[in-house]
Amino acid sequence: MTTAETAPAPSMRLRELVFGAACAAALRATARLGVADALGDSPMAVEDLAAAVKTEPKPLRRLLRAMSCYGVFAEQGDGTFAHTEMSRLLREDDPHSLRYITLWCTEPWTWDAWPKLDEAVRTGHNVVQDLYGKEFFTYLNEDAPESALVFNRAMTTSSAQSARDVAQLLDLSGSASVADIGGGQGHVVASLLEKYPTLHGTLLDLPRVVENADPRLRPGGALADRMRVVPGDCREAIPVQADVYIIKNILEWDDDSTARTLRNVMAAGGPGARVVVIENLVDDSPSMRFSTAMDLLLLLNVGGAKHTTESMVGRLTGAGLVIDDIRPVNPYLHAFDCTVPA
């Protein structure tokens, strides 16, 4: 029986770490094959699983055995495999699904970029521009539409899972309007509008993103009469006036893009506007391994970075915002509540 084991000796642990790509590839293969979706509540024989996902049984057993070492699936004494708490997160129908996050973090471009991490560390610049001759998101949309779709679904999943936490945290009882800047498909603003029945909202993001906005926000949706959907790039301009601006997990680009976005928000809101910036940090989080890995990935693709509390405070005050409060949203997000000064 193969199970997740206790920590090995340092020499073996380092050997395991250098094979980290094998674990990532195995997770990607498992997600793409739909193994977790095919496995039901009862343990299944590999032969039955192989038939369900259209693979050969022997290599599928090898994949499942590898995954079981990390606690993703569990091999039973009779050779069948069962779900674990982690493997269920690879199911597309799980309410806390991480299937698209798994795919996003292992997309083809990542395998081109990771070997150049030493170059990115030496120069402090992203490597995607040199790899593909284009800015990262331009490359995604023009040359890798499948990766762009995975990105959008991953961000949608992540946003939907944290939107209720954000809505629960924020008190907007004294506000008439809220704008979700770079808000993806609008799960955060939708949750806020559901919490406050008189609140009006605006969602601003790139045209290809907002055209797939949450159905609640589109014409005919339950919140559409209090909602405006605006296509645009927050790094270029923000033609949206509101009492409160929400900026969630988008201030991770290069410093110039971050500074331009903050300037645009302040110009749009004017003195007295409330700006709530929500980010996951690399110095105050129980998910440090994930956060620091994402930090390095941001260095590779856009020359960006996850923030520490200090760096986030520096960005916000450097832009001229006054920070009124810093609070945790959940175990992996923090909210910086700010005001545009007079």
Side-chain angles (χ1 to χ4, degrees):
M1 184 185 300
T2 305
T3 60
E5 298 176 355
T6 57
S11 60
M12 184 52 66
R13 180 59 182 146
L14 186 58
R15 286 182 171 92
E16 293 173 356
L17 287 173
V18 298
F19 266 115
C23 180
L27 282 165
R28 180 175 179 80
T30 300
R32 283 173 59 85
L33 290 169
V35 178
D37 297 287
L39 180 57
D41 292 333
S42 300
M44 288 180 65
V46 171
E47 291 75 15
D48 295 332
L49 268 176
V53 299
K54 297 179 173 57
T55 67
E56 289 295 318
K58 288 184 179 179
L60 180 59
R61 179 180 293 279
R62 292 163 66 179
L63 177 64
L64 290 167
R65 183 175 58 204
M67 287 286 82
S68 295
C69 292
Y70 295 93
V72 182
F73 304 111
E75 185 175 0
Q76 309 300 294
D78 60 359
T80 61
F81 284 85
H83 267 303
T84 62
E85 289 185 9
M86 277 200 289
S87 65
R88 290 185 186 279
L89 296 174
L90 292 175
R91 291 182 61 95
E92 191 155 0
D93 62 0
D94 189 276
H96 305 290
S97 176
L98 295 177
R99 180 176 188 270
Y100 285 104
I101 295 293
T102 299
L103 292 174
W104 169 242
C105 294
T106 57
E107 279 296 283
W109 65 267
T110 67
W111 302 93
D112 292 339
W114 280 122
K116 297 183 177 294
L117 181 58
D118 58 328
E119 177 184 330
V121 171
R122 271 195 295 268
T123 64
H125 298 142
N126 81 74
V127 301
V128 166
Q129 189 86 29
D130 291 336
L131 278 171
Y132 304 120
K134 297 178 180 180
E135 185 265 342
F136 178 64
F137 286 106
T138 302
Y139 161 74
L140 278 189
N141 292 308
E142 293 182 353
D143 301 332
E146 289 186 8
S147 282
L149 180 61
V150 167
F151 172 76
N152 290 337
R153 288 182 174 175
M155 297 304 102
T156 296
T157 298
S158 179
S159 180
Q161 291 170 355
S162 60
R164 288 186 179 85
D165 294 333
V166 173
Q168 184 176 358
L169 174 78
L170 295 182
D171 181 1
L172 301 190
S173 55
S175 304
S177 57
V178 60
D180 194 357
I181 304 301
Q185 295 179 335
H187 294 287
V188 169
V189 69
S191 294
L192 288 167
L193 263 59
E194 287 181 334
K195 181 180 178 181
Y196 297 101
T198 63
L199 189 68
H200 285 72
T202 303
L203 169 66
L204 182 143
D205 212 318
L206 298 173
R208 60 176 172 75
V209 178
V210 297
E211 69 183 13
N212 294 310
D214 189 303
R216 292 173 292 176
L217 308 179
R218 299 201 298 262
L223 303 172
D225 62 338
R226 293 188 284 130
M227 190 64 204
R228 179 182 171 215
V229 177
V230 179
D233 186 341
C234 60
R235 296 170 295 181
E236 302 302 325
I238 297 178
V240 176
Q241 190 166 22
D243 297 332
V244 182
Y245 293 82
I246 309 293
I247 308 175
K248 179 174 172 290
N249 280 352
I250 64 169
L251 297 184
E252 303 166 339
W253 307 306
D254 60 277
D255 291 349
D256 179 62
S257 293
T258 294
R260 280 188 285 133
T261 297
L262 291 173
R263 285 198 302 269
N264 290 339
V265 169
M266 295 175 67
R274 182 180 176 188
V275 180
V276 182
V277 175
I278 299 170
E279 293 284 344
N280 60 316
L281 307 173
V282 292
D283 66 336
D284 186 16
S285 168
S287 56
M288 286 289 287
R289 290 183 182 178
F290 174 75
S291 296
T292 54
M294 286 299 298
D295 178 53
L296 295 177
L297 194 62
L298 284 166
L299 171 61
L300 290 172
N301 63 7
V302 295
K306 290 286 185 185
H307 290 285
T308 62
T309 303
E310 182 180 5
S311 70
M312 192 74 255
V313 167
R315 295 291 192 284
L316 298 176
T317 57
L321 288 164
V322 176
I323 300 175
D324 302 310
D325 193 17
I326 302 173
R327 288 175 290 167
V329 177
N330 58 28
Y332 58 93
L333 288 173
H334 281 71
F336 296 75
D337 212 329
C338 310
T339 304
V340 178

